[in-house]
């Protein structure tokens, strides 16, 4: 099975290791044996002007995943939203009201459905591709999350060349390593079966350090600087 999944992750951090805003929305194509991406596509956000309510992330993920799905025609699209694996094309107001989520979550999804339900219906009607809100139980979504960390590291490197030093937070349970001409990352959760990713990047002339976020367990901080 060929699956396209999308996730948003990685955050610019302030001096107290608090997130300023999210950085990278990534869509990936995942195929058997489902340990990494066969292809990835990124869209960077402006972390200084980011809607942290969750609306922007889910909307950006859905549109980027749909864009990639129209090119590659996968079997299914997985979104990082945990509402029971429901088909997004079926998310009308009565269905949203019946969801076992908070009232705030329902209001968020009523707003999102105005854009995402027509998008999901188009994918289904024109290509037979279902868009499912499955969340982190999906391995391809987790792989997309790992790639969002890789592209966050790439964003930090490019920004550090201009600004001197950048500090970013990676997605949960993952590490990255800067290698000549590439960035490698992997899951730190031994239960995930060795999920990993790798992207090309210009890494020369950059120093880096990876360490735990002292205020938030399970999250690593990547600090990069121009040498």
């Amino acid at each position: 099975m060929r699956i396209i999944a999308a996730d948003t992750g990685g955050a610019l951090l302030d001096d107290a290791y608090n997130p300023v805003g999210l950085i990278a929305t990534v869509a990936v194509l995942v195929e058997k044996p489902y340990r990494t991406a066969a292809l990835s596509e990124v869209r960077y956000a402006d972390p200084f002007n980011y809607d942290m309510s969750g609306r922007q992330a889910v909307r950006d993920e859905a549109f980027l995943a749909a864009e990639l799905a129209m090119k590659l025609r996968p079997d299914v699209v997985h979104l990082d939203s945990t509402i029971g694996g429901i088909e997004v094309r079926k998310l009308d107001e009565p269905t949203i009201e019946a969801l076992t989520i908070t009232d705030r979550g329902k209001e968020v999804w009523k707003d999102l459905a105005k854009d995402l339900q027509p998008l999901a219906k188009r994918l289904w009607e024109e290509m037979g591709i279902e868009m499912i809100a499955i969340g982190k139980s999906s391995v391809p979504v987790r792989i997309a999350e790992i790639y969002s960390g890789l592209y966050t590291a790439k964003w930090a490197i490019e920004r550090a060349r201009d600004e001197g030093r950048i500090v970013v937070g990676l997605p949960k349970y993952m590490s990255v390593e800067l290698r000549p001409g590439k960035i490698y990352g992997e899951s730190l959760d031994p239960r995930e079966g060795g999920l990993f990713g790798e992207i090309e990047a210009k890494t020369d002339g950059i120093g880096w350090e990876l360490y735990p976020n002292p205020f938030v367990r399970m999250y690593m901080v990547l600090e990069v600087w121009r040498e």
Side-chain angles (χ1 to χ4, degrees):
M1 179 175 280
R2 301 168 74 244
I3 303 167
I4 282 178
D7 192 30
T8 301
L12 179 66
L13 302 181
D14 63 18
D15 292 340
Y17 300 105
N18 296 310
V20 175
L22 302 183
I23 293 170
T25 296
V26 178
V28 295
L29 173 66
V30 179
E31 301 172 328
K32 190 178 178 180
Y34 312 114
R35 289 196 181 93
T36 191
L39 184 149
S40 64
E41 192 165 315
V42 64
R43 187 163 294 157
Y44 291 114
D46 176 5
F48 297 101
N49 184 28
Y50 198 89
D51 175 8
M52 296 291 279
S53 71
R55 287 175 173 85
Q56 181 175 344
V58 176
R59 187 177 283 110
D60 289 350
E61 290 158 18
F63 277 91
L64 185 58
E67 183 180 305
L68 197 59
M70 289 173 186
K71 296 177 188 174
L72 301 179
R73 295 180 176 268
D75 297 294
V76 67
V77 172
H78 287 182
L79 296 185
D80 178 29
S81 187
T82 308
I83 53 175
I86 291 174
E87 296 92 342
V88 176
R89 64 186 171 91
K90 298 178 181 177
L91 281 176
D92 54 18
E93 190 160 328
T95 301
I96 294 170
E97 280 294 341
L99 295 174
T100 55
I101 59 176
T102 65
D103 289 341
R104 180 180 175 277
K106 290 176 183 179
E107 291 306 311
V108 168
W109 266 104
K110 286 176 186 176
D111 180 40
L112 286 169
K114 295 172 187 176
D115 294 328
L116 303 194
Q117 189 185 22
L119 179 69
K121 281 183 175 179
R122 180 185 170 197
L123 272 179
W124 175 252
E125 291 168 0
E126 295 183 8
M127 299 183 178
I129 300 169
E130 198 74 84
M131 179 179 283
I132 300 174
I134 189 171
K136 289 291 192 294
S137 63
S138 162
V139 168
V141 165
R142 173 59 171 157
I143 291 170
E145 184 178 40
I146 288 170
Y147 271 79
S148 74
L150 295 175
Y151 282 105
T152 292
K154 185 174 182 178
W155 179 92
I157 289 169
E158 293 170 355
R159 198 169 182 99
R161 293 190 190 280
D162 296 326
E163 299 187 14
R165 184 178 295 267
I166 293 291
V167 180
V168 295
L170 299 177
K172 185 185 292 187
Y173 283 132
M174 78 164 289
S175 67
V176 297
E177 181 181 342
L178 273 59
R179 299 176 176 177
K182 62 184 66 176
I183 303 170
Y184 174 83
E186 63 184 10
S187 168
L188 292 174
D189 189 338
R191 300 167 297 181
E192 290 188 329
L195 304 183
F196 70 97
E198 189 174 81
I199 61 172
E200 294 182 357
K202 187 179 179 182
T203 58
D204 60 297
I206 293 292
W208 63 284
E209 184 178 11
L210 185 70
Y211 52 89
N213 187 317
F215 296 99
V216 189
R217 288 178 59 244
M218 302 178 291
Y219 290 88
M220 303 296 284
V221 173
L222 176 67
E223 191 167 344
V224 298
W225 59 89
R226 184 181 63 237
E227 290 186 324

